[in-house]
Amino acid sequence: MTPNGLKFNGEVMPTPAEITFTNNKIWSENTGRSATCLLVGDLKTIKKTISIVWTHLNGEQIAQVNRYISNVYSPFFSVTVIDETFQESTYIVYAGDPTYEILSWDSPLQFTKNVSVNLIEQ
């Protein structure tokens, strides 16, 4: 990923260690198995889940990321990323529950590692 490869609402975010894409199939309400056990229903659309992991973020970087992934007043935002087809794509998303692992408490070397969150397409 390029250094400018991840943006939230146009703001460049710290470069992640990992990004994983999941294509979630959204089926119609009448989807299910028939009496002969065949799947019936209509595939309505596919929505993305973008799983992001950052390593070695400092407090300033965590605050920058948290403005988007932990914002109760504005839960939806745009994410621009190089997707699984290696194209720059933009999605409107909301964030799942983030996790933070502390690497070091010792000042001035206070860092987190393995900060992760799922971004779910609206």
Side-chain angles (χ1 to χ4, degrees), residues 24 47-50 76 92-97 118-122:
N24 300 293
K47 296 288 186 172
K48 296 272 189 215
T49 298
I50 305 167
F76 297 100
I92 302 300
V93 299
Y94 64 93
D97 299 330
N118 289 332
L119 304 179
I120 300 103
E121 186 177 8
Q122 183 181 28

Side-chain angles (χ1 to χ4, degrees), residues 5-13 50 52 65 67-69 74-81 89-95 119-122:
L6 178 65
K7 297 176 187 174
F8 293 170
N9 282 352
E11 180 181 355
V12 176
M13 291 292 112
I50 305 167
I52 303 175
V65 170
R67 281 197 308 270
Y68 298 95
I69 68 172
S74 183
F76 297 100
F77 58 96
S78 70
V79 60
T80 301
V81 65
S89 297
T90 300
Y91 305 96
I92 302 300
V93 299
Y94 64 93
L119 304 179
I120 300 103
E121 186 177 8
Q122 183 181 28

Side-chain angles (χ1 to χ4, degrees), residues 88-105:
E88 184 175 87
S89 297
T90 300
Y91 305 96
I92 302 300
V93 299
Y94 64 93
D97 299 330
T99 60
Y100 310 85
E101 184 178 346
I102 302 300
L103 176 63
S104 174
W105 287 96

Side-chain angles (χ1 to χ4, degrees), residues 20-84:
T20 305
F21 296 93
T22 304
N23 290 332
N24 300 293
K25 296 174 184 171
I26 309 298
W27 291 89
S28 62
E29 291 180 19
N30 66 340
T31 300
R33 295 285 176 179
S34 69
T36 58
C37 298
L38 295 176
L39 182 66
V40 295
D42 299 309
L43 183 58
K44 295 173 77 173
T45 192
I46 295 178
K47 296 288 186 172
K48 296 272 189 215
T49 298
I50 305 167
S51 302
I52 303 175
V53 177
W54 291 271
T55 56
H56 304 106
L57 295 182
N58 61 35
E60 185 178 295
Q61 291 169 313
I62 290 292
Q64 179 188 18
V65 170
N66 275 345
R67 281 197 308 270
Y68 298 95
I69 68 172
S70 293
N71 188 338
V72 297
Y73 303 107
S74 183
F76 297 100
F77 58 96
S78 70
V79 60
T80 301
V81 65
I82 306 300
D83 68 15
E84 74 276 13

